Coordinates of all heavy atoms in Angstrom, one line a residue:
M1 N 103.1 139.6 50.3 CA 102.2 139.2 51.2 C 100.8 139.5 50.6 O 100.6 140.6 50.1 CB 102.3 139.8 52.5 CG 101.2 139.5 53.5 SD 101.5 140.1 55.2 CE 102.2 141.7 55.0
E2 N 99.8 138.6 50.7 CA 98.5 138.8 50.1 C 97.8 139.6 51.2 O 98.1 139.7 52.3 CB 97.7 137.4 50.0 CG 98.3 136.6 48.8 CD 97.5 135.3 48.7 OE1 96.4 135.3 49.0 OE2 98.2 134.4 48.2
D3 N 96.8 140.4 50.7 CA 96.0 141.2 51.4 C 95.4 140.6 52.6 O 95.2 141.1 53.7 CB 94.8 141.9 50.8 CG 95.3 142.9 49.8 OD1 96.4 143.3 50.0 OD2 94.7 143.3 48.8
N4 N 95.0 139.2 52.6 CA 94.3 138.5 53.6 C 95.2 137.8 54.6 O 94.9 137.3 55.5 CB 93.3 137.6 53.0 CG 93.9 136.5 52.2 OD1 95.1 136.5 52.0 ND2 93.2 135.5 51.9
E5 N 96.4 138.0 54.4 CA 97.5 137.4 55.3 C 97.8 138.5 56.5 O 97.7 139.7 56.1 CB 98.8 137.0 54.6 CG 98.5 135.8 53.7 CD 99.8 135.4 52.9 OE1 100.9 135.9 53.4 OE2 99.7 134.6 52.0
Y6 N 97.9 137.9 57.6 CA 98.3 138.8 58.7 C 99.7 138.9 59.1 O 100.3 137.7 59.0 CB 97.5 138.4 60.0 CG 96.1 138.2 59.6 CD1 95.4 137.1 59.5 CD2 95.2 139.5 59.3 CE1 94.0 137.0 59.3 CE2 93.9 139.3 59.0 CZ 93.2 138.1 58.9 OH 91.9 138.0 58.7
S7 N 100.2 140.1 59.4 CA 101.7 140.2 59.7 C 102.0 139.8 61.2 O 103.1 139.4 61.3 CB 102.1 141.7 59.5 OG 102.0 142.0 58.3
T8 N 101.0 139.9 62.1 CA 101.4 139.6 63.4 C 100.1 138.9 64.0 O 99.1 138.8 63.6 CB 101.5 140.9 64.3 OG1 100.2 141.5 64.3 CG2 102.5 141.8 63.7
P9 N 100.4 138.1 65.2 CA 99.3 137.4 65.9 C 98.3 138.5 66.3 O 97.1 138.1 66.5 CB 100.0 136.9 67.2 CG 101.4 136.8 66.8 CD 101.7 137.9 65.9
T10 N 98.6 139.7 66.6 CA 97.6 140.7 67.0 C 96.7 141.0 65.9 O 95.4 141.1 66.0 CB 98.4 142.1 67.4 OG1 99.2 141.8 68.5 CG2 97.4 143.2 67.8
E11 N 97.2 141.2 64.6 CA 96.4 141.3 63.5 C 95.4 140.2 63.3 O 94.2 140.4 63.1 CB 97.1 141.5 62.3 CG 97.9 142.8 62.1 CD 98.6 142.9 60.8 OE1 98.5 142.0 59.8 OE2 99.4 143.9 60.7
R12 N 95.8 139.0 63.5 CA 95.0 137.8 63.3 C 93.8 137.8 64.4 O 92.7 137.6 64.1 CB 95.8 136.5 63.4 CG 95.0 135.3 63.2 CD 96.0 134.0 63.3 NE 97.0 134.0 62.3 CZ 98.3 134.3 62.6 NH1 98.8 134.6 63.8 NH2 99.2 134.4 61.6
R13 N 94.2 138.0 65.7 CA 93.2 138.1 66.7 C 92.3 139.1 66.7 O 91.1 139.1 66.8 CB 94.0 138.1 68.1 CG 93.0 138.1 69.3 CD 92.3 136.8 69.4 NE 91.3 136.8 70.5 CZ 90.1 136.8 70.3 NH1 89.4 136.7 69.1 NH2 89.3 136.9 71.3
L14 N 92.8 140.3 66.3 CA 92.0 141.5 66.0 C 91.0 141.2 64.8 O 89.7 141.6 65.0 CB 92.7 142.7 65.8 CG 91.9 144.0 65.7 CD1 91.2 144.3 67.1 CD2 93.0 145.3 65.5
A15 N 91.4 140.6 63.9 CA 90.5 140.3 62.7 C 89.4 139.3 63.2 O 88.3 139.5 62.7 CB 91.4 139.7 61.6
E16 N 89.8 138.4 64.0 CA 88.7 137.5 64.6 C 87.7 138.3 65.4 O 86.5 138.0 65.3 CB 89.3 136.4 65.4 CG 90.2 135.5 64.7 CD 91.0 134.5 65.7 OE1 90.9 134.8 66.9 OE2 91.6 133.7 65.2
I17 N 88.1 139.2 66.1 CA 87.2 140.2 66.9 C 86.3 140.9 66.0 O 85.0 140.9 66.1 CB 88.0 141.0 67.9 CG1 88.7 140.1 69.0 CG2 87.1 142.0 68.5 CD1 89.6 140.9 70.0
W18 N 86.9 141.6 65.0 CA 86.1 142.4 64.1 C 85.1 141.4 63.4 O 83.9 141.9 63.2 CB 87.0 143.0 63.0 CG 87.7 144.2 63.6 CD1 88.1 144.6 64.8 CD2 88.2 145.2 62.7 NE1 88.8 145.7 64.9 CE2 89.0 146.2 63.6 CE3 88.4 145.4 61.3 CZ2 89.7 147.3 63.1 CZ3 89.0 146.6 61.0 CH2 89.7 147.6 61.7
A19 N 85.5 140.3 62.8 CA 84.7 139.5 62.1 C 83.5 139.0 62.9 O 82.4 139.0 62.5 CB 85.4 138.2 61.5
D20 N 83.7 138.7 64.3 CA 82.6 138.3 65.2 C 81.6 139.4 65.4 O 80.5 139.2 65.2 CB 83.3 137.8 66.6 CG 82.2 137.5 67.5 OD1 81.3 136.7 67.2 OD2 82.2 138.0 68.6
V21 N 82.2 140.6 65.7 CA 81.4 141.8 66.0 C 80.6 142.2 64.7 O 79.3 142.6 64.8 CB 82.2 143.0 66.5 CG1 81.4 144.2 66.6 CG2 82.7 142.6 68.0
L22 N 81.3 142.2 63.6 CA 80.6 142.7 62.4 C 79.8 141.5 61.6 O 79.2 141.8 60.6 CB 81.7 143.3 61.4 CG 82.3 144.5 61.9 CD1 83.5 144.8 61.0 CD2 81.3 145.8 62.0
R23 N 79.9 140.4 62.1 CA 79.2 139.2 61.5 C 79.8 139.0 60.1 O 79.0 138.8 59.2 CB 77.7 139.3 61.6 CG 77.3 139.3 63.0 CD 75.7 139.2 63.0 NE 75.3 138.8 64.4 CZ 74.5 139.7 65.2 NH1 74.2 140.9 64.7 NH2 74.2 139.4 66.4
L24 N 81.0 138.9 60.0 CA 81.7 138.6 58.7 C 82.4 137.4 58.7 O 82.9 137.0 59.8 CB 82.6 139.8 58.4 CG 81.9 141.2 58.2 CD1 83.2 142.2 58.1 CD2 81.1 141.3 57.0
D25 N 82.6 136.7 57.6 CA 83.5 135.5 57.5 C 84.9 135.9 57.8 O 85.7 135.1 58.4 CB 83.2 134.8 56.3 CG 81.8 134.2 56.1 OD1 81.3 133.9 57.1 OD2 81.5 134.1 55.0
K26 N 85.4 136.9 57.2 CA 86.9 137.2 57.4 C 87.0 138.7 57.2 O 86.3 139.4 56.4 CB 87.6 136.5 56.3 CG 89.1 136.6 56.4 CD 89.9 135.5 55.7 CE 91.3 135.6 56.0 NZ 91.9 134.4 56.2
V27 N 88.1 139.2 57.9 CA 88.5 140.6 57.7 C 89.9 140.7 57.2 O 90.7 140.0 57.7 CB 88.1 141.4 59.0 CG1 88.7 142.9 58.9 CG2 86.8 141.4 59.5
K28 N 90.2 141.5 56.2 CA 91.5 141.6 55.8 C 92.2 142.7 56.6 O 91.7 143.6 57.1 CB 91.5 142.0 54.2 CG 91.0 140.9 53.4 CD 90.9 141.2 52.0 CE 90.3 140.2 51.0 NZ 90.2 140.6 49.6
R29 N 93.6 142.6 56.5 CA 94.3 143.5 57.4 C 94.4 144.9 56.9 O 94.6 145.8 57.6 CB 95.8 142.9 57.4 CG 96.7 143.1 56.1 CD 98.1 142.4 56.2 NE 98.8 143.0 57.2 CZ 99.6 144.1 57.0 NH1 99.6 144.8 55.9 NH2 100.2 144.6 58.1
D30 N 94.0 145.2 55.7 CA 94.0 146.5 55.1 C 92.5 147.1 55.0 O 92.4 148.2 54.4 CB 94.6 146.5 53.8 CG 93.7 145.7 52.7 OD1 92.9 144.9 53.0 OD2 94.1 145.7 51.4
Q31 N 91.6 146.5 55.7 CA 90.2 147.0 55.8 C 89.9 148.1 56.8 O 90.5 147.9 57.9 CB 89.2 145.8 55.7 CG 89.1 145.0 54.5 CD 88.1 144.0 54.5 OE1 88.2 143.0 55.3 NE2 87.1 144.2 53.6
D32 N 89.1 148.9 56.5 CA 88.7 150.1 57.4 C 87.4 149.5 58.1 O 86.5 149.1 57.4 CB 88.4 151.4 56.5 CG 88.0 152.5 57.4 OD1 87.0 152.4 58.1 OD2 88.8 153.5 57.4
F33 N 87.5 149.6 59.4 CA 86.3 149.2 60.3 C 85.1 149.9 59.9 O 84.1 149.0 59.7 CB 86.7 149.4 61.7 CG 85.5 149.1 62.8 CD1 85.5 147.7 63.1 CD2 84.7 150.0 63.2 CE1 84.4 147.4 64.0 CE2 83.7 149.7 64.0 CZ 83.6 148.2 64.5
F34 N 85.0 151.1 59.5 CA 83.8 151.8 59.2 C 83.3 151.5 57.8 O 82.2 151.5 57.5 CB 83.9 153.3 59.5 CG 84.3 153.4 61.0 CD1 85.5 153.8 61.4 CD2 83.2 153.4 61.9 CE1 85.7 153.9 62.8 CE2 83.4 153.5 63.3 CZ 84.7 153.8 63.7
E35 N 84.2 151.1 57.0 CA 83.9 150.9 55.5 C 83.3 149.5 55.4 O 82.6 149.2 54.4 CB 85.2 151.0 54.6 CG 85.6 152.6 54.5 CD 86.8 152.7 53.7 OE1 87.3 151.7 53.1 OE2 87.2 153.8 53.5
I36 N 83.6 148.6 56.3 CA 83.1 147.2 56.3 C 81.8 147.0 57.1 O 81.4 145.9 57.4 CB 84.1 146.2 56.4 CG1 84.7 146.3 57.9 CG2 85.2 146.3 55.4 CD1 85.8 145.2 58.2
G37 N 81.2 148.1 57.6 CA 79.9 148.1 58.3 C 80.0 148.4 59.8 O 78.9 148.3 60.5
G38 N 81.1 148.8 60.2 CA 81.3 149.2 61.7 C 80.6 150.6 61.8 O 80.5 151.5 61.0
D39 N 80.2 150.8 63.1 CA 79.7 152.1 63.6 C 80.1 152.4 65.0 O 80.8 151.6 65.6 CB 78.1 152.2 63.4 CG 77.4 151.1 64.3 OD1 78.0 150.7 65.3 OD2 76.2 150.7 63.8
S40 N 79.7 153.5 65.5 CA 80.3 153.8 66.9 C 79.9 152.9 67.9 O 80.6 152.5 68.8 CB 79.8 155.3 67.3 OG 78.4 155.3 67.3
L41 N 78.6 152.2 67.9 CA 78.3 151.3 68.8 C 79.1 150.0 68.7 O 79.5 149.5 69.7 CB 76.7 151.0 68.6 CG 75.9 150.4 69.8 CD1 76.1 151.3 71.0 CD2 74.6 150.2 69.5
L42 N 79.2 149.6 67.4 CA 80.2 148.3 67.3 C 81.5 148.6 67.7 O 82.2 147.8 68.1 CB 79.9 147.9 65.8 CG 78.6 147.4 65.5 CD1 78.4 147.0 64.0 CD2 78.2 146.1 66.3
A43 N 82.0 149.8 67.4 CA 83.4 150.2 67.8 C 83.6 150.0 69.3 O 84.6 149.5 69.7 CB 83.7 151.6 67.4
T44 N 82.5 150.5 70.1 CA 82.7 150.2 71.4 C 82.8 148.8 71.8 O 83.5 148.4 72.7 CB 81.4 151.0 72.2 OG1 81.3 152.3 71.8 CG2 81.5 150.7 73.7
T45 N 82.0 147.9 71.2 CA 82.1 146.5 71.4 C 83.5 145.9 71.1 O 84.1 145.2 71.8 CB 80.9 145.7 70.6 OG1 79.7 146.2 70.9 CG2 81.0 144.3 70.8
V46 N 84.0 146.3 70.0 CA 85.3 145.9 69.6 C 86.3 146.4 70.6 O 87.3 145.6 71.0 CB 85.8 146.5 68.2 CG1 87.2 146.4 68.0 CG2 84.9 145.8 67.1
V47 N 86.3 147.6 71.0 CA 87.3 148.1 72.1 C 87.1 147.3 73.4 O 88.1 146.9 74.0 CB 87.0 149.6 72.3 CG1 87.9 150.1 73.5 CG2 87.5 150.3 71.1
V48 N 86.0 147.0 73.8 CA 85.8 146.4 75.0 C 86.5 144.9 74.8 O 87.2 144.4 75.8 CB 84.3 146.2 75.4 CG1 84.2 145.1 76.5 CG2 83.9 147.6 75.9
K49 N 86.2 144.2 73.7 CA 86.7 142.8 73.5 C 88.3 143.0 73.4 O 89.0 142.1 73.9 CB 86.1 142.2 72.3 CG 84.7 141.9 72.5 CD 84.0 141.2 71.2 CE 82.8 140.8 71.4 NZ 82.6 139.4 71.9
A50 N 88.8 143.9 72.8 CA 90.1 144.1 72.5 C 90.9 144.3 73.9 O 92.0 143.8 74.2 CB 90.5 145.1 71.5
C51 N 90.3 145.2 74.7 CA 90.9 145.5 76.0 C 91.0 144.3 76.8 O 91.9 144.0 77.5 CB 90.1 146.6 76.7 SG 90.3 148.2 75.9
Q52 N 89.9 143.4 76.7 CA 89.8 142.2 77.4 C 90.9 141.1 77.0 O 91.6 140.5 77.7 CB 88.5 141.5 77.4 CG 87.5 142.3 78.3 CD 86.1 141.8 78.0 OE1 85.8 141.1 77.0 NE2 85.1 142.1 78.9
A53 N 91.1 141.2 75.6 CA 91.9 140.1 75.0 C 93.4 140.4 75.3 O 94.2 139.5 75.6 CB 91.7 140.1 73.5
W54 N 93.7 141.6 75.3 CA 95.2 142.1 75.5 C 95.4 142.6 76.9 O 96.5 143.0 77.3 CB 95.6 142.9 74.4 CG 95.9 142.4 73.2 CD1 97.0 141.6 72.8 CD2 94.9 142.3 72.0 NE1 96.8 141.1 71.5 CE2 95.5 141.5 71.1 CE3 93.6 142.7 71.8 CZ2 95.0 141.2 69.8 CZ3 93.0 142.4 70.5 CH2 93.7 141.6 69.7
E55 N 94.4 142.7 77.6 CA 94.5 143.4 79.1 C 95.2 144.6 79.1 O 96.1 144.7 79.9 CB 95.3 142.3 80.0 CG 94.5 140.9 80.0 CD 95.3 139.9 81.0 OE1 96.4 140.2 81.5 OE2 94.8 138.7 81.1
V56 N 94.7 145.4 78.2 CA 95.2 146.8 78.2 C 93.9 147.7 78.1 O 92.9 147.2 77.8 CB 96.2 147.2 77.1 CG1 97.5 146.5 77.1 CG2 95.6 146.9 75.7
K57 N 94.1 148.9 78.3 CA 93.0 149.9 78.4 C 93.3 150.9 77.2 O 94.3 151.5 77.0 CB 92.8 150.6 79.7 CG 92.5 149.7 80.8 CD 91.4 150.3 81.7 CE 91.1 149.3 82.8 NZ 90.3 148.1 82.5
F58 N 92.1 151.2 76.4 CA 92.3 152.3 75.4 C 90.7 152.6 75.1 O 89.8 151.9 75.5 CB 93.0 151.9 74.1 CG 92.6 150.8 73.3 CD1 91.7 151.0 72.2 CD2 92.8 149.4 73.6 CE1 91.3 149.9 71.4 CE2 92.5 148.4 72.9 CZ 91.7 148.7 71.7
T59 N 90.5 153.8 74.5 CA 89.2 154.1 74.2 C 88.8 154.0 72.7 O 89.8 153.7 71.9 CB 89.0 155.7 74.6 OG1 89.9 156.4 73.7 CG2 89.3 155.9 76.1
V60 N 87.6 154.3 72.4 CA 87.1 154.3 71.0 C 87.9 155.3 70.1 O 88.1 155.1 68.9 CB 85.6 154.5 70.9 CG1 85.1 154.7 69.4 CG2 84.8 153.3 71.5
R61 N 88.3 156.3 70.9 CA 89.1 157.3 70.0 C 90.3 156.7 69.3 O 90.7 157.1 68.3 CB 89.6 158.4 70.9 CG 90.2 159.6 70.4 CD 90.4 160.7 71.2 NE 89.1 161.3 71.6 CZ 88.9 162.4 72.1 NH1 89.9 163.1 72.6 NH2 87.7 162.8 72.4
V62 N 90.9 155.7 70.0 CA 92.0 155.0 69.3 C 91.6 154.3 68.0 O 92.3 154.4 67.0 CB 92.8 154.0 70.4 CG1 93.8 153.2 69.7 CG2 93.4 154.7 71.6
L63 N 90.5 153.7 68.1 CA 89.9 153.1 66.9 C 89.6 154.1 65.8 O 89.9 153.9 64.6 CB 88.8 152.1 67.2 CG 88.3 151.2 66.1 CD1 87.6 150.0 66.6 CD2 87.5 151.8 65.0
L64 N 89.1 155.2 66.3 CA 88.7 156.2 65.4 C 90.0 156.8 64.7 O 90.0 157.2 63.5 CB 87.9 157.3 66.1 CG 86.6 157.0 66.6 CD1 86.0 158.2 67.5 CD2 85.6 156.8 65.5
G65 N 91.2 156.8 65.4 CA 92.4 157.3 64.9 C 93.0 156.3 64.0 O 94.1 156.6 63.3
A66 N 92.7 155.0 64.1 CA 93.3 154.0 63.4 C 92.3 153.1 63.0 O 92.3 151.8 63.5 CB 94.4 153.3 64.3
P67 N 91.4 153.3 62.0 CA 90.3 152.4 61.7 C 90.7 151.2 60.8 O 89.8 150.3 60.6 CB 89.4 153.4 60.9 CG 90.2 154.4 60.4 CD 91.4 154.6 61.3
V68 N 91.8 151.3 60.2 CA 92.4 150.1 59.4 C 92.9 149.0 60.3 O 93.7 149.4 61.3 CB 93.4 150.5 58.4 CG1 94.1 149.4 57.7 CG2 92.9 151.5 57.4
L69 N 92.5 147.8 60.1 CA 93.0 146.7 60.9 C 94.5 146.7 61.4 O 94.8 146.6 62.5 CB 92.5 145.4 60.5 CG 92.7 144.3 61.5 CD1 91.4 143.4 61.6 CD2 93.8 143.4 61.1
A70 N 95.2 146.8 60.3 CA 96.7 146.7 60.6 C 97.2 147.8 61.5 O 98.1 147.7 62.3 CB 97.4 146.6 59.3
D71 N 96.7 149.0 61.3 CA 97.0 150.2 62.0 C 96.6 150.0 63.5 O 97.4 150.4 64.3 CB 96.5 151.5 61.5 CG 96.9 151.7 60.0 OD1 98.1 151.2 59.7 OD2 96.4 152.4 59.3
L72 N 95.4 149.6 63.8 CA 94.9 149.4 65.1 C 95.7 148.3 65.8 O 96.0 148.5 66.9 CB 93.5 149.1 65.1 CG 92.8 149.0 66.5 CD1 93.0 150.3 67.3 CD2 91.3 148.7 66.4
A73 N 96.0 147.2 65.1 CA 96.8 146.1 65.6 C 98.2 146.6 66.1 O 98.6 146.4 67.2 CB 97.0 145.1 64.8
G74 N 98.9 147.6 65.3 CA 100.1 148.2 65.7 C 99.9 149.1 66.8 O 100.8 149.0 67.7
R75 N 98.9 149.8 67.0 CA 98.6 150.6 68.2 C 98.4 149.7 69.5 O 99.0 150.0 70.5 CB 97.4 151.5 68.2 CG 97.8 152.7 67.0 CD 96.8 153.8 67.2 NE 97.2 154.7 66.1 CZ 96.5 155.9 66.0 NH1 95.7 156.3 66.9 NH2 96.9 156.7 65.0
I76 N 97.8 148.6 69.2 CA 97.5 147.7 70.3 C 98.9 147.1 70.8 O 99.1 147.0 72.0 CB 96.6 146.6 70.0 CG1 95.1 147.1 69.9 CG2 96.6 145.5 71.1 CD1 94.1 146.2 69.4
D77 N 99.7 146.7 69.9 CA 101.0 146.1 70.1 C 101.9 147.2 70.9 O 102.5 146.8 71.9 CB 101.8 145.7 68.9 CG 101.3 144.3 68.4 OD1 100.7 143.5 69.2 OD2 101.6 144.1 67.2
R78 N 101.8 148.4 70.6 CA 102.6 149.4 71.4 C 102.0 149.5 72.8 O 102.8 149.7 73.7 CB 102.5 150.8 70.7 CG 103.5 150.8 69.5 CD 103.6 152.2 68.9 NE 102.4 152.8 68.2 CZ 102.0 152.3 67.0 NH1 102.6 151.5 66.2 NH2 101.0 153.0 66.5
L79 N 100.7 149.6 73.0 CA 100.1 149.6 74.3 C 100.5 148.4 75.0 O 100.8 148.6 76.4 CB 98.6 149.7 74.2 CG 98.1 150.9 73.6 CD1 96.4 150.7 73.4 CD2 98.1 152.0 74.7
V80 N 100.5 147.2 74.5 CA 100.9 146.1 75.2 C 102.4 146.2 75.6 O 102.8 146.0 76.7 CB 100.8 144.7 74.4 CG1 101.3 143.5 75.2 CG2 99.3 144.5 74.3
A81 N 103.2 146.6 74.7 CA 104.7 146.8 75.0 C 104.9 147.7 76.2 O 105.7 147.5 77.1 CB 105.4 147.3 73.8
E82 N 104.1 148.9 76.1 CA 104.2 149.9 77.2 C 103.8 149.5 78.5 O 104.2 149.8 79.6 CB 103.5 151.0 76.7 CG 104.1 151.9 75.6 CD 103.2 153.0 75.0 OE1 102.0 153.2 75.6 OE2 103.5 153.6 74.0
S83 N 102.8 148.5 78.5 CA 102.2 147.9 79.8 C 103.1 146.8 80.3 O 102.9 146.4 81.5 CB 100.9 147.3 79.5 OG 100.9 146.1 78.9
G84 N 104.1 146.4 79.5 CA 104.9 145.2 80.0 C 104.3 143.9 80.0 O 104.8 142.8 80.4
R85 N 103.1 143.8 79.4 CA 102.4 142.5 79.3 C 102.9 141.7 78.0 O 103.6 142.3 77.3 CB 100.8 142.7 79.1 CG 100.3 143.5 80.3 CD 98.8 143.3 80.3 NE 98.2 144.2 81.3 CZ 98.0 143.7 82.6 NH1 98.6 142.7 83.0 NH2 97.5 144.5 83.4
Q86 N 102.4 140.4 77.9 CA 102.7 139.5 76.9 C 102.0 140.1 75.7 O 100.8 140.5 75.7 CB 102.4 138.2 77.2 CG 103.3 137.6 78.3 CD 104.7 137.5 77.9 OE1 105.0 137.1 76.8 NE2 105.6 138.1 78.8
P87 N 102.4 139.8 74.3 CA 101.8 140.0 73.2 C 100.5 139.2 73.0 O 100.1 138.5 73.9 CB 102.8 139.6 72.1 CG 104.0 139.5 72.7 CD 103.8 139.2 74.1
A88 N 99.8 139.4 72.0 CA 98.5 138.9 71.8 C 98.3 137.4 72.2 O 99.1 136.7 71.9 CB 98.0 138.9 70.2
R89 N 97.2 137.2 72.8 CA 96.8 135.7 73.1 C 96.0 135.2 72.0 O 95.1 136.0 71.5 CB 96.0 135.8 74.5 CG 96.8 136.2 75.6 CD 96.0 136.0 76.9 NE 94.6 136.6 76.7 CZ 93.8 136.9 77.7 NH1 94.1 136.6 79.0 NH2 92.6 137.4 77.5
E90 N 96.3 134.1 71.6 CA 95.4 133.4 70.6 C 94.0 133.1 71.1 O 94.0 132.9 72.3 CB 96.1 132.1 70.1 CG 97.4 132.4 69.3 CD 97.3 133.2 68.0 OE1 96.3 133.0 67.3 OE2 98.2 134.0 67.8
S91 N 93.0 133.1 70.2 CA 91.7 132.9 70.8 C 91.6 131.4 71.2 O 92.3 130.6 70.7 CB 90.6 133.1 69.7 OG 91.0 132.3 68.5
A92 N 90.8 131.1 72.2 CA 90.6 129.8 72.7 C 89.8 128.9 71.9 O 89.0 129.3 71.0 CB 89.9 130.0 74.1

C-alpha cells in the first residue's frame, strides 16, 4: 500500500477534514497533525468536525495522544464501535 492510500473510510474522511482545516491539498495516512502545520487551536477545530462527522464525543487530548492520521482514525473507529453507531459517513 502506498503512503497516500487509506486503509479505511475513516482514514479517508479524517484526511479530508485535516486537509480542509490545514488548507492542504492532501494528507497522507502516516502524517503527524502537528508536523504538517497543526496547532492546538486547529486541533480543536478538527475534533469538533470529527465529533460531528462520526456523532461521537472525544477531546483534543485524544488527538494529542494519536497525532498520526491512521492512529487517530483507529481511535475514532473504536469510539464509534463502542457507541454502537455506524462507521464513517462519506463527505457530502
Side-chain angles (χ1 to χ4, degrees):
M1 173 170 43
E2 292 181 24
D3 288 340
N4 63 349
E5 292 182 12
Y6 306 110
S7 296
T8 67
T10 302
E11 286 183 9
R12 183 176 303 107
R13 179 68 182 112
L14 187 59
E16 292 170 357
I17 291 171
W18 284 22
D20 179 54
V21 170
L22 297 171
R23 295 190 169 115
L24 298 172
D25 290 333
K26 187 161 184 136
V27 176
K28 296 179 181 178
R29 69 183 304 272
D30 64 349
Q31 287 186 295
D32 182 298
F33 180 78
F34 299 100
E35 291 177 4
I36 59 173
D39 59 30
S40 59
L41 200 55
L42 294 173
T44 301
T45 303
V46 164
V47 169
V48 167
K49 288 178 177 278
C51 287
Q52 290 171 343
W54 285 279
E55 299 178 1
V56 294
K57 297 219 182 286
F58 64 95
T59 65
V60 172
R61 186 172 291 193
V62 174
L63 193 153
L64 294 172
V68 173
L69 187 130
D71 296 338
L72 182 58
R75 290 196 184 189
I76 290 170
D77 281 340
R78 283 192 292 283
L79 288 169
V80 170
E82 290 168 4
S83 75
R85 297 193 187 287
Q86 292 298 313
R89 297 183 310 193
E90 295 293 324
S91 60

